[in-house]
Amino acid sequence: MEKIYLHYDMDAFFAAVEQRDNPKLRGKAIAVGHGIITTASYEARKYGVKSAMSAIMAKKLCPHLIFVSVDKNKYSIVGKKIQRLVKKVFKKYEFMSIDEGYIDITEYIKNSEYENNIEKFINRFKKYIYKNVNLTCSVGIGFDKISAKIASDIDKPNGHFVFENREKFLDYIFDKKISIIPGIGKKTIEYLKLFNITKICDLYKVEKEKLVKYFGDNRGEYIYEVIRGKYTSEIDNSVKKQSYGHEITFNQSMNDIFEMEDELKKQAIKLSKRLKDKEEFAKTITLKIRYSNFTTYTKSKTINFSTNKWEEIYIVALNIYKKLEKKDEVRLIGIHVSSITKSKLVQLTFEDLKKMNEKGENDGIL
Ligand code: TTP
Ligand code: MG
């Protein structure tokens, strides 16, 4: 195995914090939230109560359910404490949300006492977290982020699972539902169902070209690669650079749309090259514009998935430009890209698909 990744995910996070802080709630079926619940304790999940369910529905399923108010501030403090604990011990990590994260543990396992006893490492990790925050988590080990994330969900709560290699991972996912893959959303699943594609094994029959046609380059390729265990994106928290930009100040003020388009295209090509050289992707594209009266505006758009293609950066920047209210002649124009990541992990939304269908296009980024 090339790399060894660990994914941790806190168990019933908001509910567990509430139960930790109030002994009366321990061992009880509780839900956090009132209108729509954010999460439920495992005691409540036995009755089918889960995240994003209405309180009315939850109460029907579990009449003795106790509702607790959401205290996001408190969960955020606890989540950050967990992140600090990870940062203290490890070098390469990436936090996906307040209660989950990836850690590259390769160097701590290879040629160490844990090489043939990874369970021991997992137990030490779980104990380290528990000792410090009094909460349990589930852990997954894999050869990349996706396999580690899927593994951490297999033995929840307070459990762990290890994919020793790619073959074991592929065997495991073969007959599972598509929803097991992170980044493939509910609406995508509904869309694929129209073609009788519900399981990973059905998805193997779809050619790469077709996936790209339906879901666009980024997403299509992602789906194709991920189910073959070939989607790899490194954990790299050494990426400190948060944005790249290019801009030009015109000698003369100008407002020729054709020249402006040409300039934006040039800048997008440069930015795309820079991202590709570093194998990075950007999620936010910002247009900066200065008028001849020296007022400066910046306007950003965050797209649904990260990109490093010049065409996509260009189209987004151009669209922002077209929507700007023209204040004066232009002195300076520039594009900046930010929210830089090493991964292009996609989240397809229903809106994307609808727009793709309406436009009859392959990509629905705008
Ligand atoms: P999750 O890790 O998805 O869920 P969880 O920690 O409650 O349960 P488990 O991991 O054991 O399955 O999300 C973390 C927290 O994020 C969760 O405690 C509450 C919040 N959350 C919402 O507010 N809305 C949601 O729809 C989801 C899924 C989570
Ligand atoms: Mg969790």
Side-chain angles (χ1 to χ4, degrees), residues 245-308:
H246 278 290
E247 50 191 55
I248 183 172
T249 306
F250 300 115
N251 292 331
Q252 286 177 314
S253 297
M254 60 104 75
N255 57 12
D256 180 330
I257 180 72
F258 297 110
E259 272 197 50
M260 215 71 90
E261 279 187 19
D262 269 355
E263 185 49 44
L264 289 177
K265 199 178 278 181
K266 269 189 226 154
Q267 294 183 9
I269 290 169
K270 280 187 196 158
L271 288 169
S272 157
K273 187 172 176 320
R274 207 143 146 191
L275 289 166
K276 283 181 177 165
D277 283 349
K278 299 199 158 206
E279 294 180 358
E280 289 171 353
F281 302 85
K283 206 170 187 316
T284 303
I285 290 140
T286 303
L287 183 79
K288 179 173 167 187
I289 199 157
R290 181 171 298 143
Y291 294 102
S292 32
N293 65 4
F294 286 96
T295 50
T296 307
Y297 292 87
T298 56
K299 191 149 177 50
S300 301
K301 165 129 185 124
T302 298
I303 52 180
N304 287 328
F305 58 92
S306 302
T307 186
N308 59 14

Side-chain angles (χ1 to χ4, degrees), residues 185-239:
K186 217 161 107 189
K187 299 297 171 183
T188 314
I189 290 162
E190 279 171 27
Y191 187 77
L192 287 166
K193 210 169 165 185
L194 301 174
F195 303 92
N196 264 334
I197 299 164
T198 58
K199 290 181 173 179
I200 305 284
C201 49
D202 304 325
L203 206 46
Y204 283 123
K205 294 176 202 142
V206 189
E207 296 140 28
K208 191 173 184 174
E209 293 68 32
K210 282 231 173 88
L211 290 172
V212 166
K213 191 173 162 216
Y214 290 135
F215 302 118
D217 286 355
N218 275 315
R219 306 152 192 198
E221 274 169 29
Y222 170 72
I223 295 171
Y224 185 85
E225 285 167 9
V226 75
I227 59 169
R228 288 168 176 80
K230 285 186 185 157
Y231 176 76
T232 45
S233 72
E234 302 246 322
I235 294 171
D236 189 357
N237 53 295
S238 62
V239 187

Side-chain angles (χ1 to χ4, degrees), residues 9-13 99 156:
D9 184 343
M10 305 307 294
D11 301 318
F13 188 49
D99 94 320
K156 253 187 173 297

Side-chain angles (χ1 to χ4, degrees), residues 11-12 14-32 37 39-47 49 59 62-68 157:
D11 301 318
F14 294 4
V17 173
E18 295 301 339
Q19 286 181 322
R20 179 193 73 172
D21 295 349
N22 181 353
K24 284 191 192 133
L25 300 175
R26 287 183 207 155
K28 302 257 170 72
I30 74 161
V32 181
I37 66 173
T39 194
S41 64
Y42 275 82
E43 292 85 352
R45 291 190 198 190
K46 281 188 219 143
Y47 297 85
V49 179
K59 191 88 184 162
C62 177
H64 59 284
L65 187 65
I66 301 166
F67 291 93
V68 183

